[in-house]
Each structure stands twice: as structure tokens, then as C-alpha cells.
Amino acid sequence: MIADICWMEDRFINYLRLLRAIPADDKKIIIEHFTAKSFKEGEFLIKPNKIAREMFFVCSGVIRIGSTNEKGIELTHYFYNENRFVSILQSFNEEIISKAFIQASCDADVFSITKSKLLDLYKELPYMKQLIDEQNQLHLLEKINIRNTYLGEEAENKYRLFVMQHPDIVLRIPLKDIASYLGITPQSLSRVRKHIR
């Protein structure tokens, strides 16, 4: 287990160091504020109709944000793979209940931080606020741009786009998650995949 945590720590800090210089002394401070957690496929990191009290950094695996509509149909809004910060930001920042949930689409290892610990980290290392805020903004713009590419596309083209945009994700997650993300039924997706082959 210690080896796994060490690997996760290294991955996390190495990612942060791609964004800016992280002094050796700061590495310990950063790591002390986060908690390593593992989730099995299908487990919730944040359940629906709750306040998002944690932010996560994905070390391995794929995480999805989704919700259930008034007809009881599960919708997938976004996928996050390695080297991404993820939370339901409005709920996390404003401490309000969200209908959305965060779930592991495959087995995942993450670093978790609560809002109070994140605020403590920002006090100790003020540059971390700008770094994390910038990453969240970049991911938000990326998500919007990706979703816009699907507008008006037929099921087959949507799937082809998804494969091109997420080749690292497509083979790791259940087809039902991909189908709900693309707004098509699992049966339609199966037909599309057979046709493409």
C-alpha cells in the first residue's frame, strides 16, 4: 500500500511541477493536505443530492460526473481521466446540494481534499489557489468545446468523435457510460460499434 501511495504522490507532484516549480519543502505540505483513496468501478465519490465536500485529483482511472433526469434516466455529463482535478464546483464552492454525482467509471485512485483543508493549503501556499483555479478553468473550457463538437451529429459520428477525443478512455469504461454521455441508448451504441467494425 505504501508503494502505491508513493507512486500516487510522485504522479501528483510531477504533474504540478509541469505547471510551475514546486520547492521540495512544499511537496510535503501539499501531500499532507490530501488523502489517498481508491474506488472500484461504480462506486460513488460524491452521491447525488449531497453537498460536494471534496475535490479530487485523478491519479489513475476514469471518473464521471452525471445526474439522473426527471424520467429516472442516468446522464453522463463529463469524464475525467488522469491528471485532472474534479469536483462539482458550484456545490463545492458554495456548499449547496447538487443533483449531480461523481462516480468511478472504472477502478480509480485519487487524492482527495476537503474544502477546509484546501483553504488551509491556500493560506500556506498561496500559489496553489491560482494553480488549481487555472486548471479548473481550463478543464471547464475544454469540456464545453468537446461537448459542442457533438451538437447536431448522428450517433455514428458522435461515437467516432468520442473515440478520437478520448482514445485513452474508450476501452476502459462501460459502454452504458459512453452511451449516456453521447445521448444515445446502449443498444444504438452497440449497433454503431458493429457497423464501424
Side-chain angles (χ1 to χ4, degrees):
M1 186 66 181
I2 297 298
D4 290 343
I5 291 174
C6 290
W7 168 83
M8 288 171 67
E9 289 175 0
D10 288 345
R11 178 166 198 137
F12 184 35
I13 296 300
N14 288 340
Y15 174 74
L16 295 177
R17 284 182 172 149
L18 291 174
L19 307 174
R20 66 158 290 141
I22 305 287
D25 292 345
D26 290 2
K27 174 183 173 179
K28 187 171 184 289
I29 294 168
I30 293 167
I31 293 299
E32 283 174 350
H33 284 79
F34 285 83
T35 303
K37 294 184 177 183
S38 293
F39 294 90
K40 295 288 182 196
E41 181 182 317
E43 280 189 287
F44 286 100
L45 288 72
I46 296 174
K47 292 182 178 178
N49 301 309
K50 301 285 183 190
I51 296 172
R53 300 197 183 276
E54 295 172 279
M55 181 179 288
F56 306 94
F57 177 82
V58 184
C59 294
S60 70
V62 181
I63 304 299
R64 73 180 183 122
I65 292 184
S67 64
T68 304
N69 69 15
E70 58 281 346
K71 294 178 182 174
I73 297 168
E74 210 170 81
L75 309 170
T76 298
H77 303 295
Y78 307 110
F79 292 106
Y80 292 82
N81 60 335
E82 291 81 2
N83 297 336
R84 299 275 200 261
F85 288 98
V86 58
S87 189
I88 303 165
L89 287 176
Q90 185 178 10
S91 177
F92 181 79
N93 291 331
E94 298 174 23
E95 297 183 14
I96 57 173
I97 290 172
S98 173
K99 290 182 178 178
F101 58 78
I102 301 178
Q103 187 179 38
S105 273
C106 62
D107 293 356
D109 296 307
V110 302
F111 271 121
S112 164
I113 189 166
T114 62
K115 186 175 181 183
S116 60
K117 283 197 172 185
L118 187 62
L119 295 175
D120 288 344
L121 178 61
Y122 290 166
K123 281 180 196 163
E124 285 193 61
L125 303 175
Y127 67 80
M128 285 297 293
K129 177 166 175 38
Q130 181 182 357
L131 189 153
I132 290 174
D133 284 351
E134 282 177 359
Q135 288 308 295
N136 284 331
Q137 283 295 329
L138 280 173
H139 298 323
L140 182 63
L141 290 172
E142 182 182 281
K143 288 185 304 191
I144 291 167
N145 289 335
I146 286 173
R147 290 300 287 192
N148 285 345
T149 63
Y150 296 113
L151 293 175
E153 293 291 344
E154 296 294 323
E156 186 172 322
N157 283 346
K158 283 183 182 181
Y159 181 68
R160 285 182 191 276
L161 282 167
F162 183 82
V163 171
M164 285 185 345
Q165 291 165 341
H166 304 288
D168 53 331
I169 291 177
V170 74
L171 297 175
R172 295 193 283 165
I173 62 175
L175 287 180
K176 68 176 181 59
D177 289 355
I178 297 172
S180 79
Y181 178 73
L182 297 177
I184 59 179
T185 65
Q187 294 80 3
S188 294
L189 181 55
S190 291
R191 283 195 296 274
V192 163
R193 292 177 81 237
K194 282 178 190 168
H195 185 258
I196 288 174
R197 287 182 202 154

